[in-house]
Amino acid sequence: MRESLRMGSRTIWLYIVAAIVVGSIAGYFVLSVPDAPKFQSDAGVLDLTQVQVSTNPQKLTGEWAFYWKELLSPEDIQVRSERDGDQDHWIHIPSSWLGYPYEGQQLSGTGYATYRLVIQLSEQDRNQRLALRLPSIFHAYKLWVNGELLAEVGKVGQDKSSMTPHLETKLLFFQPENDTVELVMQVANFNHKRGGITKFIELGGSNMLTVKTNLKIAADMFITASLLVIGIYNLLLFMLRRKDRAPLYFGLFTVLFGIRSLLGGEIMITQWFPQFPWELQFKIEYLILCVSGYIITMYFDCIFPHYVSRWFRLSTRIVTGGFCILVVITPALIYTKLLLAIGVMVVLHMIYLMVGLVQAAMRRMEGALIFLLVSMVTLVTVVNDFLYYSGWSVIGNTAPLGLLIFTFAQMILLSSRFTKTATNEERIARELQNANDKLVEMNMNLERTVQERTQALSTAHDDLRTSYDRLLHSEQGRKKLLAYITHDLRMPLSSMLGYVEAVQDRVKPERNEQYLKYIRENTIRINRMIEELSFLSHLETGQVSYRMELVPIIPFLLHFYEQYELVVRDAGLDFIIDIGDAEDQRPKLPIVEMDAKRVEQALFNLVSNAMKFTSRGGQVRIALAVNKVNQAGQAIISIQDSGIGIPPDQLEQIFERNYRYDQPGLDKGTEGSGLGLAICREIILGQGGTVRAESDGKMGATFYVTLPCIEREGRG
C-alpha cells in the first residue's frame, strides 16, 4: 500500500516538473528573441550601402548625435556644424537619456533634446519610395527627413507647461533625392520617468513596412477582440448564474487586459481617438496592472478553494488598494516610477498561485496541471513586459500574447466545469423522472389500495368495539380517543358497511360506482380524524415538544400570507393582510419566542375554519396589532372572515373537541372533524399565548391569537 502511494506521488511530481519545463520552453519560444541588427550607426552615421532597405527593412540602431537641452532644426544644426565643427556627444538608440553621462553628470528622465542621424543608402534605394516606422516616443517629438518636417506628435516644449504629451505610432513615406538621408528629431519629456527614443525606429520600403504594420495592427486587433469577447461572454455567464464567481473574475481579468492591449503595441486607442487624454491613458494602463494580481488571485480561489490563505487575501487587498490610490492621486511622473514595484507585486502573486497549483496538482485536482503550464508561459511574458517597459529588455510587448494563451486555456477549464455540471444536472433530471414515473404508477394503484383498506377497516370494526372497554380504563388521552371514535367514527363505518353490503347484494348495480366513491370519501375522512385526534391527544398530555426560537413576527406573517394566498383565492375568497404601521418601525418590530411551524399550523387551522364557513366571493383578513403590557408587549394576530358568524352563546364552546356548529341550511361540505380549533388552542397555549373568538352571530367572526413579545435589549 505504501509503495503504491509512493509511486503515485512520484508520478504527480514528474507531471509537475514536466509542466514547469514545458511552460518555460513555451515561454521562451513565445518571446522569440529577435536577432541583433547587422548594421549600427557610428558617430551619427549609419552605412547601409551594402543592403537594399527597400526589400530588407533595417532598424536604426547605434550612435546618434545628441544635443541636450537644445531644440534644433536641420538648419540650426547645419549652421552650428559650419561654425563649431562636428558634434561630440553621442547616445545609443534605442535607449532613454535617463542616466546618460553628460559633461560629468547623469541626466534625469525629464528634459528635452535633439537627435540627428545621417543614413547612407545603396544605389538601388536612391529612387525608391521608402518609409519610416516610428514607435511611441516619450512623450512628444518633431521629425525632419532631409530638411522636411514629416511628423509632429504632441507638442515639443522646453518646460512642462509648454509641451503636450502624446503617444502614437506613425508610418511615414518619403523618396530620397540622393544617396543620403538626414533624420533630425526633437524630443521632449516632462511627464514620465523616462524620456527619449526608447524603441526601435525602422527604415524600409514603403510596401514592405506597410504590410508589416498592417500585420501588427491585425495581430493586436485579434488579441484585443479575443480578450474582449471572451471576457464579455464570461460576464454574461455570471449574470445568468451568480452562484459561481469564477466567470466574474475571469471575465473582468480578460476585459481589462483587452482594454490594456488597446493602450500598448500599435496604441489603437490614439488611432481611433486622437484627442484621447494622455494622462487618462496612462492611469488606466497602470490601474489595470495594479488590480490584475488581485483579480487572478480571486479567480484562482474560486477554481481551487481553500488554497489562498486568509492573510494573503487580506494583504493583497491592502497592497493593491494602496497602489491604485497612488496611481489615481499622483501625476504620471511619480507613479511611473512604481512600475518595477507593481511588476514585483504581480509576479509575487503569480508565484504564490503557482505554489498553490503545485499543491493542487499533488492532490490530482482537475485542471491544476494545465493551469500550471499556461501560468508558466504567462509569467515569462509578463516578466518580459515589465522589463521591456522599464527599458531592460529589447523584446517587444509580449504580455497580450501570453495572456491570450492563458485565456484560451482557462476557457477550456471553465467549459469542462460547465460541461460536468450540465451532465450532473441531466443525470439528476433522469433520476427525478424515474422517481416520478414510480409515483404515477403508485397513484394508479391507489384505488385498489383504498378498496383493500376499506375491507380491512370493516373487518377491524368489531375489533374496535371489543377494544373499547379495555381502552376506557387507560390514560386520559386514550379515554378521549375512544370516546371520540365511538362518537364520530361509528356512523361513517356503519354507513360504509351498508354500502359494502349493498354492493355485495347487488341492490342497485348501476350505483355501485357511487357507493365506492362514498366508501373512499368516508375512509379518507376517518383517516384524517384519527390523525387529528392522535395529535390533539399528544398535545393535551404534553407529549409534543416545541422547538422554540426568536421569530420576527412581521416577516413570519408575510411568509404565511404568501404561502397560503393561492389556497384561499382558489376557494373563491379574497385574502388580505394588514400589518398597519408596524412595517415603518422596523427597529421596534415585535419578536416572539415560539415554534414557528406549530404556530403556522394553528393559524392555518383558523384560516381553514374561516374558509369553511365563508361563501365564495367573501373575504378572509389577517391583521397584526401590538399592545404594550408592562415592560414587554403582546403581538395580537387577528383572522376575520365574512362568513355566517357564530352565536355569542357558543363562543366559549367552539374550542372544545368534537364541537361543531350546526345551522339550518349549512352546506354539508363544510362539515369537519371538530378538532381544528381544539388543536389550535392547545398549540397557542403551548407557546404561552391565548386564543379567543368574537362574533355577533349574524355575519362574520374574528379569532384573536395573542402571543407574548420578547424585550429587545440594546436595540433602538
Side-chain angles (χ1 to χ4, degrees):
M1 181 66 179
R2 292 182 179 178
E3 187 65 26
S4 299
L5 291 175
R6 191 178 298 111
M7 291 297 295
S9 177
R10 289 177 183 176
T11 303
I12 292 297
W13 273 111
L14 181 62
Y15 286 156
I16 293 173
V17 172
I20 294 175
V21 172
V22 172
S24 302
I25 295 174
Y28 172 79
F29 283 107
V30 167
L31 294 181
S32 60
V33 180
D35 296 333
K38 297 179 180 179
F39 302 94
Q40 295 194 12
S41 58
D42 183 27
V45 178
L46 178 60
D47 185 1
L48 297 179
T49 57
Q50 303 301 316
V51 63
Q52 186 176 354
V53 296
S54 58
T55 58
N56 188 13
Q58 297 294 313
K59 293 182 172 63
L60 306 183
T61 63
E63 294 179 342
W64 289 42
F66 184 62
Y67 303 88
W68 178 244
K69 292 290 186 180
E70 295 184 88
L71 298 178
L72 304 176
S73 65
E75 293 81 6
D76 296 334
I77 293 177
Q78 184 177 0
V79 171
R80 171 175 291 194
S81 178
E82 294 173 354
R83 184 186 64 199
D84 301 332
D86 294 336
Q87 164 73 5
D88 57 357
H89 290 289
W90 320 97
I91 189 170
H92 191 275
I93 298 300
S95 67
S96 170
W97 64 55
L98 175 64
Y100 175 75
Y102 186 85
E103 296 182 355
Q105 63 179 356
Q106 289 190 339
L107 300 183
S108 66
T110 58
Y112 56 94
T114 301
Y115 296 82
R116 179 175 181 266
L117 177 68
V118 176
I119 305 171
Q120 297 176 351
L121 301 175
S122 65
E123 294 183 0
Q124 295 90 338
D125 293 324
R126 291 179 183 175
N127 297 320
Q128 297 293 326
R129 191 165 185 262
L130 303 180
L132 282 171
R133 188 172 183 275
L134 298 174
S136 56
I137 296 176
F138 290 173
H139 267 106
Y141 68 89
K142 282 185 176 181
L143 174 65
W144 286 266
V145 178
N146 290 335
E148 180 183 358
L149 180 63
L150 286 190
E152 182 174 7
V153 175
K155 182 179 179 183
V156 178
Q158 297 182 354
D159 53 39
K160 187 174 182 179
S161 61
S162 62
M163 75 156 288
T164 302
H166 191 69
L167 288 180
E168 185 178 351
T169 59
K170 287 280 189 180
L171 184 63
L172 306 177
F173 302 97
F174 67 95
Q175 186 165 351
E177 298 177 355
N178 49 47
D179 59 356
T180 301
V181 176
E182 179 192 39
L183 304 182
V184 176
M185 180 178 289
Q186 297 176 358
V187 180
N189 171 58
F190 292 95
N191 301 85
H192 197 273
K193 71 170 185 176
R194 295 186 300 125
I197 307 174
T198 60
K199 303 175 183 177
F200 290 108
I201 297 177
E202 198 168 3
L203 173 66
S206 59
N207 293 335
M208 293 286 292
L209 287 189
T210 299
V211 172
K212 189 174 183 179
T213 300
N214 290 337
L215 288 176
K216 286 185 174 293
I217 292 175
D220 284 356
M221 291 306 301
F222 171 75
I223 293 174
T224 300
S226 299
L227 292 174
L228 290 177
V229 169
I230 292 173
I232 294 173
Y233 171 76
N234 280 274
L235 291 177
L236 291 176
L237 281 182
F238 171 74
M239 294 296 294
L240 297 175
R241 187 175 183 269
R242 302 196 177 194
K243 185 178 181 180
D244 185 7
R245 290 183 173 269
L248 169 64
Y249 293 116
F250 182 63
L252 286 176
F253 182 80
T254 51
V255 166
L256 289 177
F257 273 91
I259 295 173
R260 183 178 180 270
S261 66
L262 294 175
L263 308 176
E266 297 300 313
I267 316 180
M268 297 306 301
I269 192 71
T270 56
Q271 302 283 351
W272 296 338
F273 307 103
Q275 303 302 320
F276 194 84
W278 175 88
E279 183 74 24
L280 179 59
Q281 175 184 341
F282 256 65
K283 283 189 183 294
I284 293 175
E285 183 175 2
Y286 272 72
L287 285 173
I288 291 174
L289 291 176
C290 290
V291 302
S292 61
Y294 173 75
I295 293 177
I296 200 65
T297 299
M298 299 307 296
Y299 169 69
F300 175 83
D301 192 38
C302 293
I303 297 295
F304 304 106
H306 312 304
Y307 281 91
V308 179
S309 65
R310 183 177 180 183
W311 69 265
F312 186 81
R313 191 183 295 110
L314 178 61
S315 60
T316 188
R317 288 178 182 174
I318 296 173
V319 174
T320 300
F323 275 115
C324 290
I325 292 173
L326 286 176
V327 171
V328 170
I329 66 176
T330 60
L333 189 60
I334 295 178
Y335 65 75
T336 53
K337 297 178 181 179
L338 303 175
L339 181 61
L340 181 59
I342 295 173
V344 171
M345 177 187 68
V346 174
V347 170
L348 288 178
H349 274 86
M350 297 190 68
I351 293 176
Y352 178 86
L353 297 182
M354 282 191 286
V355 172
L357 284 172
V358 171
Q359 296 176 356
M362 287 292 296
R363 299 183 181 183
R364 300 187 179 185
M365 296 191 68
E366 181 187 4
L369 282 175
I370 188 171
F371 204 146
L372 181 62
L373 173 65
V374 297
S375 295
M376 287 297 303
V377 177
T378 306
L379 178 61
V380 174
T381 59
V382 168
V383 169
N384 172 77
D385 204 21
F386 281 105
L387 294 177
Y388 171 71
Y389 281 107
S390 298
W392 297 340
S393 174
V394 296
I395 306 171
N397 183 17
T398 57
L401 180 57
L403 290 170
L404 185 61
I405 296 173
F406 177 82
T407 299
F408 278 122
Q410 298 311 311
M411 281 293 294
I412 295 173
L413 179 60
L414 289 177
S415 299
S416 175
R417 293 182 66 198
F418 279 115
T419 301
K420 286 195 172 183
T421 301
T423 302
N424 290 335
E425 290 178 352
E426 291 176 357
R427 178 180 55 80
I428 294 173
R430 287 195 300 269
E431 292 176 355
L432 289 175
Q433 182 62 42
N434 292 335
N436 184 63
D437 293 341
K438 291 181 180 179
L439 288 175
V440 171
E441 183 180 355
M442 292 175 62
N443 187 52
M444 293 175 63
N445 297 328
L446 182 60
E447 292 293 335
R448 184 170 53 115
T449 303
V450 168
Q451 293 177 3
E452 294 174 355
R453 294 282 180 89
T454 303
Q455 294 175 359
L457 284 174
S458 299
T459 304
H461 182 255
D462 293 335
D463 295 337
L464 286 175
R465 287 185 176 181
T466 304
S467 300
Y468 175 77
D469 293 333
R470 293 197 302 267
L471 292 174
L472 190 61
H473 302 285
S474 64
E475 58 190 7
Q476 183 65 26
R478 294 189 179 183
K479 289 181 180 180
K480 295 182 179 181
L481 177 62
L482 286 175
Y484 179 69
I485 291 174
T486 303
H487 182 272
D488 268 21
L489 297 189
R490 181 179 299 169
M491 182 176 295
L493 287 174
S494 299
S495 175
M496 291 163 57
L497 185 59
Y499 290 139
V500 170
E501 292 175 351
V503 171
Q504 290 178 339
D505 296 339
R506 300 182 179 274
V507 177
K508 292 184 178 181
E510 69 276 6
R511 301 188 64 182
N512 283 354
E513 184 176 352
Q514 184 178 1
Y515 292 157
L516 291 175
K517 179 180 178 182
Y518 290 157
I519 293 172
R520 182 177 181 275
E521 291 176 351
N522 283 330
T523 303
I524 294 173
R525 179 185 170 202
I526 290 171
N527 283 335
R528 183 170 62 250
M529 289 179 180
I530 292 174
E531 290 174 359
E532 290 181 351
L533 184 60
S534 177
F535 180 63
L536 179 58
S537 298
H538 283 88
L539 285 173
E540 293 176 340
T541 56
Q543 299 180 39
V544 175
S545 60
Y546 296 104
R547 299 182 61 182
M548 307 299 285
E549 56 184 345
L550 297 181
V551 179
I553 196 65
I554 287 181
F556 169 78
L557 286 179
L558 291 174
H559 175 73
F560 176 82
Y561 173 78
E562 294 173 356
Q563 185 174 3
Y564 295 107
E565 180 183 8
L566 290 179
V567 177
V568 179
R569 296 192 184 278
D570 286 345
L573 305 176
D574 287 338
F575 196 25
I576 301 173
I577 186 170
D578 181 9
I579 57 176
D581 298 331
E583 182 71 17
D584 300 328
Q585 303 174 1
R586 283 193 175 274
K588 299 181 180 179
L589 291 182
I591 290 182
V592 176
E593 184 178 12
M594 65 181 185
D595 186 328
K597 290 186 177 180
R598 294 303 185 192
V599 173
E600 180 181 324
Q601 178 184 358
L603 293 180
F604 181 68
N605 283 352
L606 294 177
V607 171
S608 298
N609 186 74
M611 295 168 56
K612 189 186 306 180
F613 293 100
T614 304
S615 303
R616 296 182 66 87
Q619 181 186 97
V620 178
R621 177 177 177 271
I622 182 170
L624 173 67
V626 180
N627 287 346
K628 191 72 174 180
V629 178
N630 298 328
Q631 296 298 324
Q634 291 181 335
I636 303 175
I637 304 169
S638 61
I639 297 177
Q640 181 181 10
D641 62 66
S642 58
I644 61 176
I646 304 171
D649 59 345
Q650 298 185 28
L651 291 175
E652 296 297 329
Q653 305 173 30
I654 59 175
F655 294 102
E656 299 294 333
R657 70 159 67 206
N658 305 335
Y659 172 81
R660 284 191 294 273
Y661 172 46
D662 296 324
Q663 178 176 328
L666 184 64
D667 185 5
K668 292 298 182 182
T670 63
E671 183 180 358
S673 64
L675 298 176
L677 295 182
I679 291 174
C680 173
R681 180 182 64 178
E682 294 298 330
I683 290 176
I684 298 303
L685 291 177
Q687 318 298 309
T690 61
V691 60
R692 62 186 179 86
E694 290 184 359
S695 176
D696 59 3
K698 298 179 180 178
M699 179 177 179
T702 305
F703 290 82
Y704 295 94
V705 174
T706 303
L707 297 170
C709 298
I710 302 299
E711 183 66 21
R712 298 161 58 112
E713 298 182 0
R715 301 188 183 188

